[in-house]
Amino acid sequence: MAFADVGACPEGTVVSSIRLEGLEHTNPRVVERELLNRVGEPFSVEKFEAEKRRLQDLDLFTEITVSCNAGLLSLSNQALDSVSPPLRFEDDTLQNDSLRSKSELRNSNSSASPREDSLSSFASRLSSVTYSFKEIFRWIPSPAGKETDRDGLMIGLALANLNVLGEDIRAEVQYRTSTDPFFENNEYAFYVSSPYLFGVPLGWNFEFLRTDSYDDIHGYQDDSWLVDLDLDYEILPHLSLLGTVAGRILKNADFLPEFGLGFAFDFRDSKLDTRKGVYYEYMLTHVGLGDESDCDMSVDKLCKEMGGENYWELLTDARAYWTLSRFVTGATALARYRPGDVKFYDYYYHGGPNTFRGRGGSALGGKEDEADSVRLGVHEVLLTLEERFVLMERHAASVMGVNFFYGVQLVAGFDGSLLWDSGRPGWDDYEGAVYGGLHLVIPALDRIRFEVGYRPDRGEPAFYFGLFDKVTSSRWRSR
């Protein structure tokens, strides 16, 4: 993302006013709630750097520039009303004159007086700050793509609006089908989300998903309907309460409700393309109503042959990032422990671009064997240590009036996989792999990943193609 040199707004310059330009489809309050520099306060470069990352997280703009118009000779009412404590001047004769009304300062006409000289000196340090924006494409009628470890590459059609009503509400409808073979696995989806609800920092994400595909990993026909609502309420800076409620109707299985609560500490500089900071989340979720696997289907017509579920999920998601020059180091750990009754169709699987880049994928030698297949288990731990080299920072571009941005990163890292069914995990449940590749940073999807992974006992590398950051897609890979 492009930004003007902050030298255009010197550190300590008092902000007399803030102007927003280029917001054709975005409500100004969407931007204003992300700004940290305030009218009547000294301009801070540190705050500006934080603003850049917050505005980038909106994923609404391809280019943002800031400029200052310094040396204004008159004070705006907004600036005078915003200064706290009352204005103080360097002139000793005015040192204790801060109690003088601001209206008198505005209307003072005594030319060449010490007071006016001090006022002029103060005004010379004022700047009007202007933020200029180039908005990203809003409507996206386009092909739709999804890469999952289960279905592989799915393609279709989508219609998305990234900024409904100018309120940073993202809505999208999609149809996707598998590519190998075509039209055998189908998915229909509707998503809508926003980081605010009626001006309150209550992030929400609603999802409706209809799936009709054969799950060759678990070995059953996934004929299901899913409705899910996730909430994220920021109660304190960097601390949020989390909630989730979902319902899933799976053919030949019992109704599967989900209810969960949790919390998250978020000290990242940005949620997208994070460069520095830490994130920690803990979530406790209950799934299912009970087990009907032992009922007699010949007697009870409501009995489901795949049974119901009744288990708790304890989730821990930890992430840490650090940047040195163009090198970004990231370490992540996702652990999910599920005591209770978990059925085979909800077992976790490891193998593919969204879980473990040492199984699955496309073997570059063309040979497929048991070492290439994914693993299944009730409990999981996914570990990743990744080094990114920013080959090209985000660049704004426009094609036929469509604004977008792109960036390029080289990556190399290590994947750890721990998957087991009961008791304590052992070394037999652990696998490791190394990988490397190239990431293309783009709007809406965060990134497209082209990677090659290698696990020693597999004997040959494999190619992986993925969308979104792995740490994101691993959380919803089963959907």
Side-chain angles (χ1 to χ4, degrees):
M1 185 170 293
F3 290 90
D5 187 354
V6 296
C9 295
E11 179 82 27
T13 299
V14 178
V15 179
S16 64
S17 64
I18 294 177
R19 299 178 60 222
L20 307 177
E21 294 183 347
L23 299 181
E24 298 181 10
H25 305 292
T26 304
N27 194 307
R29 64 170 167 261
V30 171
V31 171
E32 290 168 353
R33 64 196 181 200
E34 306 298 335
L35 298 182
L36 301 175
N37 282 297
R38 308 294 185 191
V39 170
E41 298 179 358
F43 180 84
S44 168
V45 175
E46 182 179 355
K47 289 182 178 179
F48 176 75
E49 293 297 332
E51 288 173 341
K52 293 193 298 186
R53 306 300 293 182
R54 290 162 66 105
L55 291 168
Q56 175 181 317
D57 267 349
L58 300 180
D59 210 15
L60 298 177
F61 311 108
T62 64
E63 189 172 5
I64 306 170
T65 57
V66 63
S67 61
C68 286
N69 190 3
L72 298 181
L73 297 181
S74 62
L75 294 174
S76 68
N77 291 350
Q78 184 184 14
L80 283 172
D81 291 336
S82 300
V83 176
S84 179
L87 297 176
R88 297 175 64 91
F89 302 100
E90 296 177 359
D91 195 300
D92 290 338
T93 62
L94 292 180
Q95 187 68 33
N96 299 317
D97 205 11
S98 61
L99 297 178
R100 185 181 182 186
S101 69
K102 294 173 183 176
S103 61
E104 184 178 351
L105 284 174
R106 296 189 189 103
N107 300 323
S108 175
N109 292 317
S110 54
S111 60
S113 68
R115 289 179 174 82
E116 186 177 78
D117 290 341
S118 298
L119 185 59
S120 297
S121 175
F122 176 78
S124 66
R125 299 196 300 273
L126 294 174
S127 285
S128 175
V129 179
T130 300
Y131 293 85
S132 300
F133 301 87
K134 182 178 290 186
E135 295 177 321
I136 206 170
F137 46 81
R138 188 169 53 133
W139 284 98
I140 316 176
S142 66
K146 178 181 179 180
E147 169 70 25
T148 69
D149 300 349
R150 189 184 79 177
D151 297 316
L153 178 63
M154 301 185 74
I155 60 173
L157 298 175
L159 178 63
N161 188 321
L162 302 184
N163 196 9
V164 177
L165 303 176
E167 295 291 346
D168 193 20
I169 300 173
R170 177 169 301 195
E172 183 173 2
V173 292
Q174 295 185 354
Y175 164 72
R176 293 182 290 238
T177 186
S178 59
T179 57
D180 186 19
F182 272 110
F183 302 114
E184 181 169 309
N185 300 329
N186 299 287
E187 183 179 278
Y188 310 84
F190 172 69
Y191 309 99
V192 58
S193 63
S194 178
Y196 279 78
L197 181 64
F198 302 117
V200 177
L202 176 62
W204 54 278
N205 179 78
F206 175 81
E207 175 183 351
F208 169 80
L209 188 62
R210 168 73 175 110
T211 303
D212 185 11
S213 67
Y214 182 75
D215 185 340
D216 56 358
I217 292 179
H218 298 89
Y220 77 102
Q221 182 68 26
D222 184 0
D223 186 350
S224 63
W225 302 76
L226 171 71
V227 176
D228 176 80
L229 176 64
D230 298 320
L231 301 175
D232 181 338
Y233 179 62
E234 185 178 3
I235 57 174
L236 293 171
H238 309 296
L239 174 61
S240 296
L241 291 180
L242 309 177
T244 183
V245 56
R248 181 165 43 131
I249 299 174
L250 177 62
K251 187 176 181 180
N252 296 325
D254 195 16
F255 174 65
L256 301 170
E258 297 182 23
F259 304 94
L261 290 174
F263 62 87
F265 292 97
D266 192 351
F267 290 88
R268 294 172 295 174
D269 60 348
S270 175
K271 295 179 182 179
L272 299 177
D273 194 19
T274 306
R275 302 296 177 88
K276 185 168 63 175
V278 296
Y279 176 86
Y280 178 82
E281 175 185 340
Y282 181 82
M283 195 83 177
L284 179 62
T285 304
H286 186 267
V287 178
L289 293 173
D291 182 13
E292 295 185 358
S293 59
D294 296 329
C295 65
D296 188 348
M297 296 181 62
S298 63
V299 177
D300 187 355
K301 295 182 179 180
L302 298 179
C303 183
K304 306 297 184 181
E305 61 180 288
M306 292 201 302
E309 296 183 307
N310 188 6
Y311 67 88
W312 291 92
E313 177 183 271
L314 293 81
L315 177 148
T316 301
D317 186 350
R319 315 173 196 177
Y321 303 89
W322 181 256
T323 296
L324 179 63
S325 184
R326 287 179 171 264
F327 292 91
V328 182
T329 303
T332 66
L334 174 65
R336 292 194 270 202
Y337 180 71
R338 302 190 293 181
D341 182 27
V342 183
K343 289 295 184 291
F344 72 93
Y345 48 80
D346 270 346
Y347 279 16
Y348 288 128
Y349 56 85
H350 286 185
N354 303 324
T355 51
F356 177 64
R357 286 160 285 198
R359 287 181 175 270
S362 301
L364 298 182
K367 181 181 178 181
E368 302 289 342
D369 55 29
E370 181 63 27
D372 298 325
S373 63
V374 302
R375 294 190 304 146
L376 295 172
V378 175
H379 318 289
E380 72 167 356
V381 176
L382 287 170
L383 305 172
T384 300
L385 179 62
E386 183 171 277
E387 190 72 25
R388 296 177 180 174
F389 177 75
V390 182
L391 188 64
M392 178 186 296
E393 286 286 7
R394 298 187 180 200
H395 281 63
S398 181
V399 176
M400 300 180 64
V402 176
N403 300 324
F404 62 96
F405 62 80
Y406 64 94
V408 180
Q409 299 176 356
L410 300 179
V411 301
F414 168 82
D415 270 353
S417 163
L418 191 60
L419 199 62
W420 74 104
D421 291 333
S422 61
R424 294 183 178 181
W427 282 111
D428 292 340
D429 303 309
Y430 175 81
E431 289 185 319
V434 294
Y435 67 92
L438 181 143
H439 291 183
L440 179 62
V441 180
I442 60 172
L445 297 178
D446 181 20
R447 63 188 59 236
I448 300 176
R449 297 182 283 130
F450 304 93
E451 299 161 336
V452 174
Y454 174 78
R455 191 177 91 251
D457 57 343
R458 184 175 186 172
E460 62 181 5
F463 173 75
Y464 300 91
F465 171 79
L467 304 176
F468 301 96
D469 198 349
K470 178 204 165 184
V471 75
T472 300
S473 55
S474 62
R475 290 288 298 268
W476 49 260
R477 64 183 182 270
S478 61
R479 297 180 179 177

